[in-house]
Amino acid sequence: MNKRIHYYSRLTTPADKALIAPDHVVPAPEECYVYSPLGSAYKLQSYTEGYGKNTSLVTIFMIWNTMMGTSILSIPWGIKQAGFTTGMCVIILMGLLTLYCCYRVVKSRTMMSSLDTTTWEYPDVCRHYFGSFGQWSSLLFSLVSLIGAMIVYWVLMSNFLFNTGKFIFNFIHHINDTDTILSTNNSNPVICPSAGSGGHPDNSSMTFYANDTGAQQFEKWWDKSRTVPFYLVGLLLPLLNFKSPSFFSKFNILGTVSVLYLIFLVTFKAVRLGFHLEFHWFIPTEFFVPEIRFQFPQLTGVLTLAFFIHNCIITLLKNNQKQENNVRDLCIAYMLVTLTYLYIGVLVFASFPSPPLSKDCIEQNFLDNFPSSDTLSFIARIFLLFQMMTVYPLLGYLARVQLLGHIFGDIYPSIFHVLILNLIIVGAGVIMACFYPNIGGIIRYSGAACGLAFVFIYPSLIYIISLHQEERLTWPKLIFHVFIIILGVANLIVQFFM
């Protein structure tokens, strides 16, 4: 249908509107979505020819809001893996690199001067240069990013639901859950859940209740990895089978509220805890990690997905009122996202109380370093849980559109097809939540995989091909963009050895 609309609109001159598709043919606004895997998925407000009426300020905020997401929870852990100084440098460099690749995506349509590309999206550009291979490979990597994000969401929702239930139970029974965990003994307790478990998160409830049958029964039936992930199935599986997820798109504002609240939470905790920093360049100490660590590629994998907006940036910028400001607005948005990641990561790492706790205790989800009884963290988990429960059906809908729409030509061929697909996606989330609940690992693997195509290979390769066709390709440009492709491949390969 999209191709037919494009074809008919080009049969006459641009001034002649006789063959422009009427409104009843164009997909309704509630059927058009734009998303960033770990950021936001929201409904487009309009689907008309030409450009939108958003000001630059609105465009910048939309890009920031779309890109920000749950990967922010793993930034402090990534800085810990890389080292404080190295981590800050990596965030800035990855921000610049992904910004340049995103700039190449924005400019990719303008490289074809002989064609009318005003209505093209990035998959259309890939299809033009790579044919059916570009279409199907972009579909594959897009599904990787979507399903990877849904798995991360399931792990985090299980975590947040578990800690929410634990907070309520402990509050009712006046139980202090920091007594049996390595933690700081003050009015702002910080815990180290991985202490004594070889550096890996402990997925049990981490509390032993002696001679309390009710508490022991609660611990048995409310376990982070054995029971809670299954409870979510009954709640979310029916929502995935809706034909249209337009109802859930109304809650997109929750993503902004959640990020703003996390910024407030981190600021408040940093003020109360103070800064705890020592600089040791290569040798770790009992409480501090060195400034340079060879695990820094783990942070690059996380950041590839954290800065990922390349699949929808053309759509977002189409709505900009002044198209000549697109590059400027994109740069400002990336700068704000980079500053947000630096702010969260640096404050959490610097304020982590060392001693008595080691910086190695910083968890892949930094909220896990606050006990279930912490009220401010409880509010953050509630916000994030509800936000993810509204975004999750949207991501499931997008996966259904991309997979079933390409295979069967219908996004809802039957309830049986949709149910099978949703069971596979939900099953993957449950399995990972039970056996590999490490969101940092999941984010960096899926980020490096989908980033390989959309961030590193496609933008650089399209630019090289277009310059070659115009006989403007020079050796410096070729070497530079081949180097970007090599970085993307290395970023993926090294994740499996860290």
Side-chain angles (χ1 to χ4, degrees):
M1 176 64 72
N2 187 47
K3 284 299 178 184
R4 288 178 183 175
I5 292 173
H6 291 175
Y7 173 72
Y8 292 145
S9 66
R10 288 199 292 266
L11 289 178
T12 59
T13 61
D16 188 354
K17 303 296 183 181
L19 293 179
I20 297 297
D23 291 338
H24 71 275
V25 176
V26 179
E30 62 268 17
E31 297 176 9
C32 305
Y33 293 85
V34 63
Y35 77 98
S36 179
L38 290 181
S40 302
Y42 64 89
K43 180 176 64 177
L44 290 177
Q45 298 304 311
S46 63
Y47 195 76
T48 57
E49 290 293 329
Y51 298 113
K53 301 298 182 182
N54 291 337
T55 64
S56 289
L57 184 62
V58 172
T59 300
I60 292 169
F61 174 75
M62 285 177 63
I63 296 173
W64 177 88
N65 186 44
T66 306
M67 211 183 310
M68 297 300 300
T70 52
S71 53
I72 198 173
L73 299 173
S74 293
I75 297 297
W77 170 80
I79 291 179
K80 181 256 293 186
Q81 295 299 97
F84 185 58
T85 303
T86 306
M88 289 191 295
C89 294
V90 167
I91 291 175
I92 295 172
L93 291 175
M94 284 295 294
L96 292 173
L97 178 59
T98 52
L99 168 60
Y100 175 74
C101 294
C102 199
Y103 167 77
R104 291 265 59 95
V105 171
V106 173
K107 290 295 184 180
S108 61
R109 294 188 307 161
T110 63
M111 304 296 289
M112 296 167 284
S113 56
S114 61
L115 297 175
D116 178 15
T117 60
T118 55
T119 59
W120 282 26
E121 304 291 344
Y122 195 51
D124 297 311
V125 178
C126 294
R127 190 180 302 111
H128 172 77
Y129 282 100
F130 308 121
S132 60
F133 172 80
Q135 175 184 357
W136 287 103
S137 60
S138 61
L139 170 65
L140 173 63
F141 286 107
S142 181
L143 285 173
V144 168
S145 67
L146 272 173
I147 296 176
M150 295 182 75
I151 290 174
V152 171
Y153 273 42
W154 201 275
V155 173
L156 286 173
M157 286 188 294
S158 301
N159 181 306
F160 296 149
L161 181 60
F162 166 78
N163 281 287
T164 300
K166 190 176 178 183
F167 173 88
I168 297 172
F169 181 86
N170 291 345
F171 179 80
I172 294 174
H173 294 84
H174 307 288
I175 296 174
N176 185 357
D177 61 352
T178 62
D179 291 341
T180 58
I181 308 174
L182 181 61
S183 64
T184 57
N185 297 317
N186 52 39
S187 57
N188 292 283
V190 177
I191 63 175
C192 184
S194 58
S197 60
H200 300 287
D202 183 2
N203 300 319
S204 66
S205 58
M206 299 180 294
T207 306
F208 176 74
Y209 303 103
N211 301 321
D212 190 335
T213 304
Q216 290 178 350
Q217 285 296 313
F218 172 79
E219 191 177 46
K220 176 182 177 181
W221 293 104
W222 196 257
D223 188 279
K224 187 189 295 185
S225 61
R226 296 185 180 91
T227 59
V228 173
F230 293 94
Y231 297 154
L232 287 171
V233 176
L235 183 62
L236 291 175
L237 184 59
L239 301 181
L240 287 175
N241 296 312
F242 283 10
K243 284 191 174 183
S244 174
S246 57
F247 169 76
F248 302 103
S249 65
K250 303 179 188 298
F251 298 95
N252 183 60
I253 188 64
L254 288 174
T256 306
V257 174
S258 299
V259 173
L260 294 177
Y261 183 80
L262 282 177
I263 293 174
F264 160 76
L265 172 66
V266 168
T267 305
F268 179 82
K269 293 291 185 180
V271 170
R272 299 295 297 271
L273 293 169
F275 283 2
H276 306 267
L277 289 173
E278 285 186 12
F279 296 93
H280 306 275
W281 288 102
F282 299 102
I283 302 174
T285 63
E286 181 181 1
F287 298 108
F288 296 92
V289 298
E291 298 303 298
I292 300 175
R293 303 183 79 179
F294 291 108
Q295 294 98 319
F296 73 88
Q298 296 184 358
L299 177 58
T300 64
V302 171
L303 291 173
T304 304
L305 207 57
F307 285 115
F308 184 78
I309 198 174
H310 303 63
N311 63 328
C312 64
I313 188 61
I314 291 178
T315 306
L316 289 173
L317 291 178
K318 273 184 180 179
N319 292 320
N320 200 358
Q321 188 176 25
K322 296 182 178 179
Q323 291 292 297
E324 64 273 15
N325 294 335
N326 278 349
V327 174
R328 183 201 67 182
D329 296 343
L330 177 66
C331 292
I332 294 174
Y334 257 87
M335 181 186 69
L336 293 177
V337 171
T338 303
L339 291 176
T340 305
Y341 288 150
L342 280 172
Y343 185 83
I344 295 289
V346 169
L347 279 192
V348 172
F349 183 91
S351 63
F352 194 82
S354 302
L357 302 180
S358 170
K359 296 289 186 184
D360 264 324
C361 287
I362 297 177
E363 295 293 315
Q364 297 185 16
N365 169 13
F366 75 82
L367 289 178
D368 284 344
N369 287 116
F370 301 112
S372 300
S373 56
D374 185 84
T375 304
L376 292 178
S377 302
F378 167 75
I379 296 173
R381 292 180 178 113
I382 287 290
F383 266 127
L384 289 167
L385 176 62
F386 191 66
Q387 181 229 347
M388 291 180 185
M389 290 177 66
T390 57
V391 174
Y392 190 84
L394 283 175
L395 296 179
Y397 172 78
L398 292 169
R400 185 204 315 167
V401 167
Q402 294 189 11
L403 187 60
L404 299 186
H406 276 78
I407 295 176
F408 299 102
D410 185 354
I411 64 173
Y412 206 95
S414 72
I415 184 63
F416 175 76
H417 292 84
V418 174
L419 184 60
I420 292 298
L421 175 63
N422 292 336
L423 284 173
I424 293 173
I425 294 175
V426 168
V430 171
I431 290 172
M432 297 300 281
C434 291
F435 300 104
Y436 189 77
N438 303 317
I439 65 165
I442 302 171
I443 290 175
R444 65 187 179 93
Y445 289 130
S446 57
C450 74
L452 175 65
F454 286 112
V455 179
F456 298 106
I457 293 183
Y458 289 160
S460 299
L461 203 54
I462 287 173
Y463 187 58
I464 291 172
I465 294 173
S466 62
L467 288 180
H468 177 71
Q469 292 175 345
E470 298 174 2
E471 298 182 351
R472 295 192 297 118
L473 182 62
T474 61
W475 279 108
K477 290 181 179 180
L478 176 62
I479 293 173
F480 176 71
H481 290 90
V482 169
F483 178 69
I484 291 178
I485 294 174
I486 293 173
L487 283 180
V489 175
N491 184 43
L492 176 60
I493 294 175
V494 77
Q495 303 302 326
F496 296 97
F497 295 96
M498 302 301 293

